[in-house]
Amino acid sequence: MNPANTPMAWPPHSIPSAYQMRLLGTAAERTEAAALAEERQRWLTLRGLPVPIRVDVPALFRDTQRGLAGLFEDDVLIACMILQREPDLGWGADGSGPCLFLRHVHTLPGRSDDAIRLVTLWASDYAARLSLPHVRAEALARHALSADPIAGLLHRLRDMGWVLRGSGAGQDGERVARLELAADLRPGLTALIGCSVREPQPTTGSRSSS
Protein backbone atom coordinates (compact mmCIF):
# COMPACT_ATOMS: atom_id res chain seq x y z
CA MET A 1 0.00 0.00 0.00
CA ASN A 2 1.31 3.43 -0.86
CA PRO A 3 2.19 5.87 1.92
CA ALA A 4 -0.44 8.60 2.37
CA ASN A 5 1.73 11.23 0.72
CA THR A 6 2.65 9.21 -2.35
CA PRO A 7 0.61 9.80 -5.51
CA MET A 8 -0.90 6.62 -6.89
CA ALA A 9 -0.02 7.15 -10.54
CA TRP A 10 0.33 4.26 -12.97
CA PRO A 11 2.12 3.45 -15.16
CA PRO A 12 5.03 5.95 -14.91
CA HIS A 13 5.47 6.31 -18.68
CA SER A 14 2.60 5.96 -21.12
CA ILE A 15 0.60 7.66 -23.81
CA PRO A 16 -1.67 10.26 -22.13
CA SER A 17 -4.98 8.73 -21.09
CA ALA A 18 -8.28 9.98 -22.48
CA TYR A 19 -9.42 10.91 -18.95
CA GLN A 20 -7.59 11.95 -15.81
CA MET A 21 -8.60 11.47 -12.18
CA ARG A 22 -6.68 13.80 -9.92
CA LEU A 23 -6.90 15.67 -6.67
CA LEU A 24 -8.26 19.21 -6.81
CA GLY A 25 -5.16 20.86 -5.45
CA THR A 26 -5.55 24.47 -6.56
CA ALA A 27 -8.04 27.15 -5.64
CA ALA A 28 -9.06 27.38 -9.31
CA GLU A 29 -9.83 23.64 -9.49
CA ARG A 30 -11.82 23.74 -6.24
CA THR A 31 -13.77 26.74 -7.50
CA GLU A 32 -14.51 24.85 -10.72
CA ALA A 33 -15.76 21.87 -8.70
CA ALA A 34 -17.97 24.10 -6.54
CA ALA A 35 -19.42 25.62 -9.72
CA LEU A 36 -20.07 22.15 -11.16
CA ALA A 37 -21.88 21.14 -7.94
CA GLU A 38 -23.99 24.31 -8.09
CA GLU A 39 -24.82 23.70 -11.76
CA ARG A 40 -25.78 20.09 -11.05
CA GLN A 41 -28.00 21.05 -8.11
CA ARG A 42 -29.69 23.73 -10.19
CA TRP A 43 -30.28 21.18 -12.97
CA LEU A 44 -31.85 18.75 -10.47
CA THR A 45 -34.01 21.43 -8.87
CA LEU A 46 -35.43 22.57 -12.21
CA ARG A 47 -36.56 19.00 -12.83
CA GLY A 48 -38.11 18.55 -9.41
CA LEU A 49 -35.39 16.12 -8.29
CA PRO A 50 -34.01 16.08 -4.73
CA VAL A 51 -30.88 17.95 -3.66
CA PRO A 52 -29.17 17.95 -0.25
CA ILE A 53 -30.76 20.33 2.25
CA ARG A 54 -28.63 19.72 5.36
CA VAL A 55 -25.25 20.55 3.90
CA ASP A 56 -23.84 23.24 1.60
CA VAL A 57 -22.29 20.97 -1.02
CA PRO A 58 -20.54 23.68 -3.09
CA ALA A 59 -18.89 24.90 0.12
CA LEU A 60 -17.49 21.40 0.72
CA PHE A 61 -15.68 21.59 -2.60
CA ARG A 62 -14.04 24.86 -1.57
CA ASP A 63 -12.65 23.22 1.60
CA THR A 64 -8.90 22.72 1.28
CA GLN A 65 -8.90 20.16 4.11
CA ARG A 66 -10.97 17.56 2.26
CA GLY A 67 -9.95 14.75 -0.11
CA LEU A 68 -11.37 16.41 -3.20
CA ALA A 69 -10.95 14.63 -6.53
CA GLY A 70 -12.09 15.35 -10.05
CA LEU A 71 -12.45 13.46 -13.31
CA PHE A 72 -11.21 15.49 -16.27
CA GLU A 73 -11.61 15.09 -20.02
CA ASP A 74 -9.20 17.31 -21.95
CA ASP A 75 -8.85 19.46 -18.79
CA VAL A 76 -12.64 19.88 -18.58
CA LEU A 77 -14.05 18.78 -15.22
CA ILE A 78 -16.88 16.29 -15.81
CA ALA A 79 -17.23 14.87 -12.27
CA CYS A 80 -16.11 15.73 -8.76
CA MET A 81 -16.34 13.97 -5.42
CA ILE A 82 -14.97 13.72 -1.89
CA LEU A 83 -12.84 10.64 -1.21
CA GLN A 84 -12.84 9.12 2.24
CA ARG A 85 -11.23 5.96 3.59
CA GLU A 86 -13.77 4.56 6.04
CA PRO A 87 -13.19 1.76 8.60
CA ASP A 88 -16.94 1.08 8.79
CA LEU A 89 -19.93 3.16 7.71
CA GLY A 90 -22.26 1.45 10.17
CA TRP A 91 -24.53 -0.05 7.52
CA GLY A 92 -25.00 -3.31 9.38
CA ALA A 93 -23.87 -6.84 8.53
CA ASP A 94 -24.47 -6.51 4.79
CA GLY A 95 -22.35 -3.39 4.50
CA SER A 96 -19.75 -3.70 7.23
CA GLY A 97 -15.98 -3.39 7.03
CA PRO A 98 -13.55 -0.91 5.49
CA CYS A 99 -14.18 0.80 2.18
CA LEU A 100 -13.39 3.67 -0.12
CA PHE A 101 -16.34 6.03 0.33
CA LEU A 102 -17.34 8.34 -2.52
CA ARG A 103 -19.15 11.28 -0.95
CA HIS A 104 -21.17 13.84 -2.89
CA VAL A 105 -20.43 12.62 -6.40
CA HIS A 106 -21.51 15.34 -8.82
CA THR A 107 -21.42 15.09 -12.59
CA LEU A 108 -21.65 17.60 -15.39
CA PRO A 109 -25.26 17.85 -16.62
CA GLY A 110 -25.62 16.00 -19.88
CA ARG A 111 -22.66 13.73 -19.07
CA SER A 112 -24.04 11.99 -16.00
CA ASP A 113 -24.24 8.33 -17.11
CA ASP A 114 -20.91 8.43 -18.96
CA ALA A 115 -19.16 10.14 -16.04
CA ILE A 116 -20.64 7.77 -13.44
CA ARG A 117 -19.59 4.76 -15.50
CA LEU A 118 -16.03 6.10 -15.67
CA VAL A 119 -15.99 6.89 -11.94
CA THR A 120 -17.27 3.36 -11.27
CA LEU A 121 -14.44 1.76 -13.25
CA TRP A 122 -11.83 3.98 -11.65
CA ALA A 123 -13.09 3.60 -8.07
CA SER A 124 -13.26 -0.19 -8.28
CA ASP A 125 -9.66 -0.34 -9.49
CA TYR A 126 -8.43 2.33 -7.05
CA ALA A 127 -9.97 0.56 -4.04
CA ALA A 128 -8.27 -2.68 -5.07
CA ARG A 129 -4.93 -0.87 -5.24
CA LEU A 130 -5.55 0.36 -1.69
CA SER A 131 -6.31 -3.22 -0.60
CA LEU A 132 -9.86 -2.22 0.26
CA PRO A 133 -12.61 -4.75 -0.57
CA HIS A 134 -15.38 -2.31 -1.46
CA VAL A 135 -16.37 1.11 -2.73
CA ARG A 136 -19.47 2.62 -1.14
CA ALA A 137 -21.61 5.63 -1.97
CA GLU A 138 -25.00 7.16 -1.24
CA ALA A 139 -27.86 8.50 -3.36
CA LEU A 140 -30.61 10.72 -1.95
CA ALA A 141 -33.82 8.72 -1.58
CA ARG A 142 -36.68 10.64 0.00
CA HIS A 143 -39.32 8.22 -1.31
CA ALA A 144 -39.63 4.46 -1.83
CA LEU A 145 -36.67 2.95 -3.66
CA SER A 146 -39.07 1.31 -6.11
CA ALA A 147 -40.44 4.69 -7.25
CA ASP A 148 -38.92 7.13 -9.73
CA PRO A 149 -36.72 9.08 -9.86
CA ILE A 150 -34.50 6.94 -7.60
CA ALA A 151 -35.67 3.64 -9.17
CA GLY A 152 -34.34 4.59 -12.60
CA LEU A 153 -30.99 5.69 -11.17
CA LEU A 154 -30.63 2.50 -9.12
CA HIS A 155 -31.38 0.39 -12.19
CA ARG A 156 -28.60 2.11 -14.15
CA LEU A 157 -26.17 1.75 -11.24
CA ARG A 158 -26.93 -1.95 -10.89
CA ASP A 159 -26.13 -2.35 -14.58
CA MET A 160 -22.73 -0.81 -13.82
CA GLY A 161 -22.02 -3.31 -11.02
CA TRP A 162 -23.30 -1.49 -7.93
CA VAL A 163 -25.28 -3.45 -5.33
CA LEU A 164 -28.08 -1.87 -3.30
CA ARG A 165 -27.59 -2.28 0.46
CA GLY A 166 -30.95 -0.88 1.51
CA SER A 167 -31.64 2.62 2.74
CA GLY A 168 -31.15 4.64 5.90
CA ALA A 169 -29.64 7.79 7.31
CA GLY A 170 -26.71 9.00 5.26
CA GLN A 171 -23.53 10.72 6.36
CA ASP A 172 -25.31 14.10 6.30
CA GLY A 173 -28.40 12.88 8.15
CA GLU A 174 -30.69 12.58 5.12
CA ARG A 175 -32.37 9.40 3.92
CA VAL A 176 -30.29 7.72 1.23
CA ALA A 177 -29.97 4.56 -0.80
CA ARG A 178 -26.80 2.75 0.20
CA LEU A 179 -24.66 1.48 -2.65
CA GLU A 180 -21.71 -0.90 -2.72
CA LEU A 181 -19.25 -1.86 -5.45
CA ALA A 182 -16.70 -4.67 -5.27
CA ALA A 183 -13.07 -3.67 -5.68
CA ASP A 184 -11.56 -5.10 -8.86
CA LEU A 185 -8.02 -4.56 -10.08
CA ARG A 186 -8.05 -3.45 -13.72
CA PRO A 187 -4.45 -3.26 -15.04
CA GLY A 188 -5.55 -2.09 -18.49
CA LEU A 189 -7.62 0.82 -17.23
CA THR A 190 -4.72 3.26 -17.50
CA ALA A 191 -5.20 3.58 -21.23
CA LEU A 192 -8.60 5.09 -20.51
CA ILE A 193 -8.24 6.80 -17.12
CA GLY A 194 -4.98 8.11 -15.76
CA CYS A 195 -4.72 8.55 -12.00
CA SER A 196 -2.62 10.78 -9.76
CA VAL A 197 -4.81 10.60 -6.64
CA ARG A 198 -3.13 10.27 -3.26
CA GLU A 199 -4.43 7.77 -0.74
CA PRO A 200 -7.28 9.37 1.26
CA GLN A 201 -6.79 9.70 4.99
CA PRO A 202 -8.94 7.61 7.36
CA THR A 203 -11.82 9.52 8.93
CA THR A 204 -12.47 9.56 12.64
CA GLY A 205 -15.61 9.53 14.74
CA SER A 206 -18.61 7.28 14.91
CA ARG A 207 -21.07 6.67 12.08
CA SER A 208 -24.81 6.34 12.18
CA SER A 209 -26.19 2.86 11.80
CA SER A 210 -29.85 3.86 11.54
Side-chain angles (χ1 to χ4, degrees):
M1 184 181 300
N2 282 24
N5 292 325
T6 301
M8 293 193 68
W10 57 85
H13 301 290
S14 65
I15 297 172
S17 306
Y19 301 91
Q20 292 290 327
M21 182 70 76
R22 62 177 186 257
L23 290 181
L24 305 177
T26 68
E29 288 176 335
R30 292 190 295 272
T31 297
E32 185 178 2
L36 187 153
E38 289 176 343
E39 182 179 358
R40 182 65 179 177
Q41 290 189 325
R42 184 164 50 250
W43 186 92
L44 292 169
T45 300
L46 289 173
R47 287 158 178 78
L49 301 174
V51 297
I53 59 176
R54 296 192 178 186
V55 62
D56 183 346
V57 176
L60 296 179
F61 285 100
R62 298 186 186 97
D63 187 347
T64 60
Q65 301 305 309
R66 297 182 179 273
L68 307 177
L71 177 66
F72 291 82
E73 180 183 13
D74 296 328
D75 286 327
V76 175
L77 183 67
I78 62 172
C80 57
M81 68 212 73
I82 301 171
L83 302 179
Q84 296 175 189
R85 185 190 181 101
E86 292 288 351
D88 195 329
L89 288 171
W91 285 5
D94 288 339
S96 62
C99 68
L100 173 68
F101 183 55
L102 308 184
R103 186 179 179 210
H104 293 300
V105 178
H106 279 66
T107 57
L108 191 66
R111 296 292 305 275
S112 183
D113 282 2
D114 288 345
I116 291 175
R117 193 176 299 277
L118 291 165
V119 168
T120 296
L121 290 171
W122 170 82
S124 177
D125 178 71
Y126 185 64
R129 293 177 184 276
L130 294 176
S131 298
L132 293 171
H134 297 104
V135 183
R136 296 192 176 108
E138 299 172 342
L140 280 176
R142 299 205 173 108
H143 305 289
L145 301 185
S146 59
D148 283 330
I150 189 67
L153 172 63
L154 295 179
H155 178 75
R156 293 194 299 275
L157 290 174
R158 283 194 293 266
D159 286 345
M160 296 179 197
W162 292 87
V163 175
L164 179 63
R165 294 300 187 192
S167 62
Q171 304 306 295
D172 298 314
E174 300 188 59
R175 186 174 180 270
V176 299
R178 295 167 170 172
L179 297 156
E180 183 178 272
L181 176 72
D184 185 10
L185 194 63
R186 304 170 187 271
L189 188 63
T190 311
L192 180 65
I193 309 171
C195 176
S196 60
V197 175
R198 300 175 187 273
E199 182 178 342
Q201 293 295 299
T203 60
T204 58
S206 61
R207 296 286 174 184
S208 169
S209 58
S210 59

